[in-house]
């Protein structure tokens, strides 16, 4: 913030934006199910209208543009782990569709602007990411469990906790974005970015309890509709082309995130 060359602007990308830039990282869109389902129409607009505006901007100023896509394009996958060549298994009319289909349509727009207008695009499919500076009310599983454990509240496992996710520490993810942005122009993705270490949600709850030393008890709540059963990235492409793979283990990342929340919740 104190850097005189840093400028922050508050802007809704559903409206046109005229700025002069060299590179665009389009991460706009809530990513937590409770937040993107709060105003689902706006979620689709942000992904679709927002992508159109950012692509229009990139086209006008000839900027390189990276899209934060998502593992949700695979829906509830029937192929495991998920390679980029898998087309996915997405419900087009469910509660998660505003996010999943919005992000899928954004990928289409990116590839069509690339084919039609020769834009320099980069499409990254991000798998579950966590770390310090998440909002305590973010609503996703890692921050929920940590906040619950630190406050001595019940740990809310949805379903029986056998569903899996693969959690990537934020610093690893950012390094992946930058390496991808800096890679040759002919490498446009889509490329999976995530940590391939897969855990069940119950295992995650147990780890959080163990590291925090919390007395919280695990309680089981109903599984939300269309909740994906398993998720694990195949990161062969990222490893081979951009020489990237995550370095921070779940244990190490959880310790850093817990330390952050201990400070915040004081
Ligand atoms: N756009 C923008 N900033 C720019 C250039 C374009 O927000 O610097 C928006 C513009 O409002 C347009 C959208 O991006 O609706 C798509 O732009 P494009 O040039 O592809 O389409 P066109 O303007 O020809 O409809
Ligand atoms: N989940 C849970 N308890 C919570 C929040 C989430 O058991 O308090 C589960 C959720 O049902 C899902 C997984 O944890 O199976 C990951 O959920 P999250 O919302 O973090 O991200 P998703 O990958 O589902 O978008």
């Amino acid at each position: 913030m104190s850097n005189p060359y840093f400028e922050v602007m508050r802007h809704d990308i559903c409206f046109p934006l005229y700025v002069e830039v060299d590179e665009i990282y389009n991460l706009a869109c809530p990513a937590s199910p409770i937040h993107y389902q709060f105003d689902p129409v706006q979620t689709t607009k942000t992904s679709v209208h927002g992508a159109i505006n950012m692509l229009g901007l990139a086209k006008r100023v000839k900027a390189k543009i990276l899209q934060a896509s998502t593992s949700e394009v695979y829906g509830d996958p029937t192929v495991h782990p998920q390679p980029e060549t898998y087309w996915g298994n997405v419900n087009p009319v469910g509660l998660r569709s505003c996010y999943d289909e919005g992000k899928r349509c954004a990928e289409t727009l990116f590839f069509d602007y690339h084919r039609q207008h020769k834009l320099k695009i980069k499409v990254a499919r991000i798998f579950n990411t966590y770390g310090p500076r998440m909002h305590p009310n973010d609503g996703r599983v890692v921050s929920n469990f940590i906040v619950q454990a630190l406050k001595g509240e019940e740990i809310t496992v949805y379903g029986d906790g056998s569903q899996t996710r693969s959690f990537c520490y934020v610093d690893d993810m950012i390094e992946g974005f930058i390496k991808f942005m800096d890679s040759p122009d002919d490498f446009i993705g889509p490329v999976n970015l995530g940590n391939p270490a897969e855990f069940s949600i119950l295992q995650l709850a147990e780890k959080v309890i163990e590291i925090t030393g919390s007395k919280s008890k695990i309680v089981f709540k109903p599984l939300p509709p269309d909740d994906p059963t398993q998720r694990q990235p195949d990161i062969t492409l990222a490893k081979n082309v951009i020489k990237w793979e995550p370095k921070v283990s779940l244990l190490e990342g959880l310790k850093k995130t817990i330390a952050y929340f201990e400070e915040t919740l004081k």
Side-chain angles (χ1 to χ4, degrees):
M1 282 300 208
S2 59
N3 184 325
Y5 297 107
F6 180 75
E7 190 180 339
V8 60
M9 288 172 66
R10 184 181 288 249
H11 181 81
D12 177 348
I13 64 163
C14 293
F15 297 95
L17 175 65
Y18 287 83
V19 288
E20 309 309 311
V21 293
D22 308 307
E23 289 181 353
I24 302 168
Y25 290 79
N26 181 29
L27 281 82
C29 193
S32 169
I34 58 160
H35 294 292
Y36 72 65
Q37 289 169 19
F38 175 74
D39 188 349
V41 171
Q42 199 56 38
T43 299
T44 302
K45 285 184 184 171
T46 301
S47 285
V48 178
H49 286 179
I52 292 172
N53 286 327
M54 292 305 101
L55 288 161
L57 168 62
K59 183 179 141 211
R60 181 179 62 80
V61 301
K62 299 187 170 54
K64 210 179 341 176
I65 180 165
L66 182 147
Q67 168 69 356
S69 189
T70 170
S71 55
E72 286 287 320
V73 301
Y74 303 123
D76 191 1
T78 56
V79 171
H80 202 71
Q82 295 82 54
E84 291 84 353
T85 47
Y86 177 50
W87 289 357
N89 177 34
V90 175
N91 175 357
V93 296
L95 293 179
R96 297 176 84 101
S97 314
C98 58
Y99 187 75
D100 300 10
E101 298 290 17
K103 290 284 188 180
R104 286 173 68 96
C105 184
E107 287 201 8
T108 308
L109 285 162
F110 269 71
F111 275 76
D112 283 330
Y113 267 80
H114 171 71
R115 284 183 287 249
Q116 201 173 327
H117 298 301
K118 308 285 170 267
L119 240 67
K120 291 178 187 167
I121 63 157
K122 304 274 180 193
V123 174
R125 291 183 179 154
I126 301 167
F127 285 65
N128 297 63
T129 300
Y130 71 97
R133 297 200 282 277
M134 285 182 91
H135 196 280
N137 295 329
D138 176 273
R140 278 174 289 182
V141 69
V142 175
S143 46
N144 271 12
F145 285 3
I146 292 176
V147 170
Q148 289 163 343
L150 292 177
K151 289 184 171 171
E153 293 169 357
E154 291 176 332
I155 310 266
T156 54
V157 169
Y158 302 159
D160 63 5
S162 64
Q163 71 273 31
T164 69
R165 291 295 185 273
S166 307
F167 299 101
C168 187
Y169 188 66
V170 61
D171 291 4
D172 281 331
M173 184 57 63
I174 300 301
E175 195 206 347
F177 286 176
I178 295 170
K179 282 196 164 173
F180 187 24
M181 183 62 105
D182 292 345
S183 67
D185 287 347
D186 62 1
F187 184 58
I188 62 176
V191 62
N192 288 337
L193 296 181
N195 191 322
E198 184 185 10
F199 295 89
S200 74
I201 296 306
L202 199 54
Q203 283 177 316
L204 177 72
E206 284 159 356
K207 265 188 192 291
V208 169
I209 290 174
E210 189 188 310
I211 305 168
T212 53
S214 171
K215 294 195 170 51
S216 292
K217 294 276 167 291
I218 293 173
V219 294
F220 295 91
K221 302 269 182 184
L223 188 68
D226 293 344
D227 199 279
T229 325
Q230 334 175 263
R231 183 182 286 159
Q232 182 190 31
D234 179 336
I235 59 162
T236 313
L237 186 64
K239 273 189 192 166
N240 288 344
V241 184
I242 59 173
K243 312 288 175 225
W244 173 84
E245 69 181 305
K247 298 187 192 91
V248 182
S249 68
L250 182 62
L251 184 66
E252 210 184 320
L254 282 178
K255 283 184 182 164
K256 290 183 184 189
T257 312
I258 289 166
Y260 166 77
F261 276 111
E262 277 172 339
E263 276 304 305
T264 320
L265 299 175
K266 258 182 195 162

